[in-house]
Amino acid sequence: MNKAYIFLFAISIFLLPSCGVFTVNKSKDIPYMAQGQLDNLPEKSLNIFFPKNKKECPVVVFAYGGSWESGKKELYSFLGKRLAKKGIVAVIIDYPLSPAYKVPDMALSVAQSVKWTVNNIANYHGNPDRIFVSGHSAGGHLTALNTLKDDYFDQLCVENPIKGAILIDAAGIDMYTYLKEKKLASGESYLKAFTNDPAVWKDTSPIYYLDNQDPQCLIMMGGKTYPGIKSSTERFLDKSEEIGYEPIYHLQPSKKHVPMITQFIWSGNKTYDWIEEFVKAK
């Protein structure tokens, strides 16, 4: 994420008011994982946005994108505020990043943030029995992985509590095929996150854990997104049809990758209607 993009992002957020029904409260920088709590993983925290006058709300835990190597939760306060205005508790998380940490570390951290949310979200007007996850790009990959693969929750000695996933132009859905085809040189940024081991690529590709009993995914993809995202999403949809799994899929034909998340700056964006319908139906 370059400096010009961050500046534009910040100005857009500052200029655009948040519209909705509910007054929003915010609690920030709440640790969900202590230093060394999970082996070598660092302390990480989250921000919570919740309706002031409504309780038992559905909850969305959001992980940002940034190629598994960049990002911070503060950039996504606009999303938290707008979801809370619509009666959804939003939990915006930080997680460990490459090159210091690998994708399995990130996935375990996301699972820990969800576990923390289940145990504590009633204090912030959320319903612990209605936990959803969401992410853009790399964050979409990590949340899809936790939705379809129980191993990370098994490591935490809890059952997978996720009721559904909201994937926003998710990267890495089939990273195994992508990296095999690309034949990247050792040390390239993706390999710093996914390692040089094809077994790890496959183990951390959500598509290989899909079955027809999994929680439903709401998938949004830009028609002008990156070819790797397009091809892996299409393979995911093909496999879904083969096994009788039924995701909800929205193609946004004119959207590129970054605008798939910046569109959420506008509170009247139709994507919020899709999310509301998805989380309130379960």
Side-chain angles (χ1 to χ4, degrees), residues 42-72:
E43 179 178 311
K44 286 296 170 184
S45 62
L46 50 79
N47 293 340
I48 303 176
F49 300 82
F50 58 100
K52 182 178 181 180
N53 300 316
K54 187 175 187 292
K55 296 185 178 181
E56 294 291 306
C57 302
V59 180
V60 172
V61 179
F62 177 82
Y64 48 71
S67 297
W68 299 274
E69 65 180 0
S70 67
K72 56 182 180 179

Side-chain angles (χ1 to χ4, degrees), residues 66-69 95-107 137-145 149 152 170-180 182 184-209 229 232:
S67 297
W68 299 274
E69 65 180 0
Y95 57 90
L97 299 171
S98 176
Y101 298 93
K102 307 305 180 188
V103 165
D105 301 321
M106 302 175 202
S137 194
H141 161 259
L142 295 170
T143 50
L145 188 58
K149 183 181 181 183
Y152 304 103
I173 297 299
D174 184 2
M175 205 64 174
Y176 175 69
T177 298
Y178 177 82
L179 291 175
K180 280 184 64 179
K182 283 293 184 181
L184 300 174
S186 181
E188 197 276 346
S189 62
Y190 286 158
L191 296 182
K192 290 178 181 178
F194 282 86
T195 80
N196 295 321
D197 186 353
V200 175
W201 308 346
K202 193 166 190 177
D203 190 56
T204 55
S205 292
I207 192 171
Y208 297 104
Y209 301 94
I229 291 177
S232 64

